[in-house]
Amino acid sequence: MPGLAMRFLGHSTVRLELAGSVVLTDPVLTARVGPLRRTSPLPDRAHFADADLVLLSHLHADHLHLPSLRLLPRTVRVVAPRGAGRWLRGRGIRNVEELAPGEELEHGDLRVHGVPAAHSGHRFGPRSTHGPQAAAMGHLIEAGGNRIYAAGDTDLFPGMAGFGPLAAALLPVWGWGLSLGPGHLDPHRAAEAVGLLRPRVAVPVHWGTLAVGGLPRLPRVGARMRRLLVEPPHRFAAAVAAAGERTRVLVTEPGAAVVLDGMQPVVR
């Protein structure tokens, strides 16, 4: 895709370079997130130290991670779900703006559209009544003839069918545990999302990066956790192929560049 470079930094963190800007989605850049430990190498500082724009999809700590945000340049523009700005500024995060589904903003030659997500927007999960809350969302990032959908965390919803034409979709295919709660995509549901979105390429994210500390080393259950740190993107790719979709799935290890060679812009 001319004018676009992409690197999967782990979990839901993707570095996008397009239209002269460096965008990070949901940056998680540290060795731990609360009780979760990183199972893949830490991102190289060079891959986030020049970030211009951060897009936060929702308030959960594995997507809005305050220690990771504090590693970024103080000048970075942080775009949070509408209603979360005051809470973020109160924790020392500067240059915060808000965006909601149905709204859009410009950043240089980039245009970012807020879109819905089927996921809890509460900082502490769907059953808590305390703490900050703001609607979870995804983002459509558009520039130079490319439109990229960064889903954040979401389940399937019919509105996905209206997001195209898409050059790429960054789709979650698992999480950090032995099972998934509500508002998530597993490999097969992510493949169904491909059927709605019909992107030229799909990059599986939200896998292979975090696990509860010590869990992968436990007998029996640890073996299953180790498989879940590896298998979901490959099951996703197989499900997309079995459905006969034309989308090319780019399984990319955490930390690696996404190979986009030969892809052309698709935005009309």
Side-chain angles (χ1 to χ4, degrees):
M1 297 176 191
L4 172 65
M6 191 182 304
R7 182 175 293 270
F8 177 40
L9 300 185
H11 205 52
S12 283
T13 310
V14 177
R15 172 192 171 96
L16 299 167
E17 298 176 48
L18 68 168
S21 293
V22 174
V23 183
L24 293 182
T25 62
D26 291 346
V28 170
L29 307 168
T30 60
R32 59 181 294 175
V33 178
L36 306 178
R37 299 295 182 269
R38 195 175 195 99
T39 61
S40 63
L42 283 170
D44 189 320
R45 181 172 289 273
H47 295 147
F48 60 81
D50 58 348
D52 302 303
L53 180 67
V54 166
L55 301 178
L56 300 174
S57 64
H58 63 293
L59 305 191
H60 294 170
D62 61 325
H63 292 257
L64 192 166
H65 187 234
L66 292 168
S68 293
L69 291 175
R70 292 174 181 135
L71 293 175
L72 299 175
R74 295 174 71 84
T75 55
V76 72
R77 186 181 184 187
V78 177
V79 180
R82 184 160 300 285
R86 181 178 178 183
W87 183 83
L88 272 166
R89 286 187 286 269
R91 280 145 186 83
I93 307 302
R94 299 186 177 188
N95 202 17
V96 178
E97 301 177 41
E98 296 183 343
L99 189 71
E103 298 177 347
E104 62 182 61
L105 59 81
E106 293 184 354
H107 183 85
D109 292 330
L110 290 180
R111 179 167 291 180
V112 179
H113 309 265
V115 296
H119 192 73
S120 166
H122 197 282
R123 175 70 172 175
F124 305 115
R127 288 176 288 278
S128 179
T129 58
H130 301 284
Q133 184 158 345
M137 62 189 298
H139 299 92
L140 290 172
I141 307 137
E142 188 173 323
N146 292 308
R147 182 183 296 146
I148 298 102
Y149 171 47
D153 267 354
T154 189
D155 202 343
L156 286 167
F157 59 94
M160 286 180 173
F163 292 168
L166 295 175
L170 314 179
L171 291 176
V173 298
W174 195 252
W176 46 258
L178 295 167
S179 61
L180 290 173
H184 292 91
L185 295 172
D186 64 15
H188 290 283
R189 290 181 70 76
E192 291 181 51
V194 166
L196 293 173
L197 295 161
R198 301 194 181 281
R200 182 161 294 180
V201 302
V203 181
V205 301
H206 211 254
W207 69 275
T209 309
L210 299 174
V212 174
L215 182 59
R217 297 191 298 273
L218 293 177
R220 296 184 181 178
V221 70
R224 180 163 182 259
M225 187 68 248
R226 292 192 298 273
R227 290 195 300 273
L228 288 170
L229 287 167
V230 175
E231 293 178 355
H234 302 285
R235 298 207 312 259
F236 166 63
V240 170
E245 301 291 349
R246 298 178 64 183
T247 295
R248 180 181 167 201
V249 177
L250 304 179
V251 176
T252 306
E253 293 295 317
V258 181
V259 178
L260 297 169
D261 294 347
M263 306 303 292
Q264 298 298 317
V266 297
V267 174
R268 292 190 289 268

